[in-house]
Each structure stands twice: as structure tokens, then as C-alpha cells.
Amino acid sequence: MNVLNKLGISDELADMLISEAVKKAKELGVKVSIAIVDEGGELKAFKRMDGAPILTIEIAIDKAWTAVSFGIPTHEWYNMLKDNPPLAMGFPKIPRLIIFGGGFPIVYKGQVIGGIGISGGSAEQDMEIAKNTLKNWNHNFVKY
């Protein structure tokens, strides 16, 4: 019988990523929600900074879920959908799918072990926070 050996995100790593994201958000002067999901897309850790809009809660979680679901950053979805009418009509009807920036897969040793979602700034600020967070954790972070 063949068995898969999967890596997963630890509580310690999830908490560290939240702390790194908060630090970068403060540096940029934005109030965000930060979601970390495990390799199955289930919420592992979450933080809503004081003053972050309530709507950012669901968006951050959905960005992390979208990123882990296909193993690609959320901002890459737009380019895949914009010139493909069948996909453009079908994929946005998927609940939770986010096609703008701020969600990234968390990759370790070539395996997707989770996802991070940031919501509250502009898409560019959310992406900057997430990329900075992942780069500070894993200097081999894939540049998206």
C-alpha cells in the first residue's frame, strides 16, 4: 500500500507568520486581517488588527484558502481568467475564490504546507505584506 508523507504548518510557524505580517502592516500604516490556513485549507491562525474593517476577516481567510487550493497566488487568477471566457464565467461562481492580490501558498521543500491571506490594504499592500512575511520566514521563497 502506498502512503503519502505530507508536511504541514505548525502552530509555532503560523503564529510567527502572523507576527511578521503585523509588523509589516504597521510599517506600511495599514490595518489588516491575516489568515493562515493549513495544507487542506482549514484555518490554522488568524489575527484582525485593531481598526481593520470587519469585511477583511472573510476576505483574508478566502485569500489563504484560494492560494492553498491551487498552490498559486491569488493575483495570478485574473490573468488566467481574463482571456478565457469559459473559465471567466465558471470560476468566479466558486464560493470563496479570490482573484486579486493578497493570498499566497506557503511552500516548504517543494510542498504546499498552507496559505496566507492578507486583507485591509490595497491589493498591492496586501501582497507586499504577504511576500515580506514569507520571505522573512523562508529565504528560498518563490518570487511571484
Side-chain angles (χ1 to χ4, degrees):
M1 179 170 160
N2 293 331
V3 177
L4 294 175
N5 185 13
K6 294 173 117 182
L7 298 173
I9 191 165
S10 67
D11 291 341
E12 181 182 3
L13 176 55
D15 291 343
M16 189 278 297
L17 293 172
I18 295 279
S19 295
E20 283 290 323
V22 167
K23 189 179 347 176
K24 185 63 177 180
K26 286 181 177 178
E27 181 184 305
L28 294 177
V30 294
K31 296 170 188 223
V32 299
S33 286
I34 305 136
I36 306 294
V37 298
D38 65 16
E39 70 281 1
E42 297 298 328
L43 190 61
K44 182 78 175 182
F46 180 83
K47 168 88 174 172
R48 177 176 161 241
M49 294 174 66
D50 291 341
I54 293 169
L55 187 57
T56 64
I57 296 168
E58 187 175 339
I59 295 171
I61 294 169
D62 288 350
K63 284 181 180 184
W65 179 86
T66 299
V68 79
S69 293
F70 275 83
I72 61 172
T74 55
H75 66 273
E76 290 188 5
W77 279 100
Y78 177 76
N79 285 332
M80 292 188 323
L81 297 174
K82 71 178 183 173
D83 296 323
N84 191 326
L87 285 180
M89 293 190 66
F91 267 79
K93 293 181 173 125
I94 296 172
R96 303 183 68 186
L97 181 73
I98 302 291
I99 64 169
F100 48 88
F104 288 85
I106 301 169
V107 180
Y108 180 71
K109 294 187 177 181
Q111 287 187 41
V112 175
I113 62 167
I116 184 170
I118 310 290
S119 180
S122 66
E124 292 77 18
Q125 289 170 320
D126 292 350
M127 289 170 60
E128 182 178 350
I129 294 166
K131 287 194 289 190
N132 183 79
T133 298
L134 294 175
K135 182 179 161 205
N136 283 346
W137 162 66
N138 180 358
H139 294 287
N140 297 317
F141 170 63
V142 179
K143 307 293 188 281
Y144 291 103

